[in-house]
Amino acid sequence: MRITAFRRLMAEEFGEVRAEMLARDHVLSALGGRTVDQALAEGEAAKRVWLAVCDDLEVPKDRR
């Protein structure tokens, strides 16, 4: 998954403003205590980050 696709999914699921806030501020234990932005900047795969967000924020399986 490309980062652009990841950002689109985030915006579709949470709205643009909330998606940006979550990516910047929400720390995920599944990502080693990093935020989305930190994990992506450090080379974490966008798909892994998306699945971590989905698990943490209980996104229904049909929207993953």
Side-chain angles (χ1 to χ4, degrees):
M1 170 186 297
R2 294 181 181 269
I3 292 176
T4 54
F6 169 82
R7 297 286 184 190
R8 180 182 44 78
L9 288 170
M10 288 284 288
E12 288 173 0
E13 186 63 34
F14 304 108
E16 281 190 42
V17 173
R18 184 165 184 235
E20 290 176 16
M21 184 267 317
L22 287 170
R24 182 186 62 238
D25 299 329
H26 189 74
V27 174
L28 297 153
S29 60
L31 298 176
R34 298 177 292 177
T35 66
V36 165
D37 288 344
Q38 290 169 331
L40 291 172
E42 293 173 7
E44 197 68 57
K47 184 164 185 150
R48 181 170 185 273
V49 174
W50 173 244
L51 293 175
V53 169
C54 290
D55 287 344
D56 194 65
L57 299 173
E58 300 178 352
V59 173
K61 295 215 184 269
D62 63 324
R63 294 199 311 255
R64 294 179 183 210

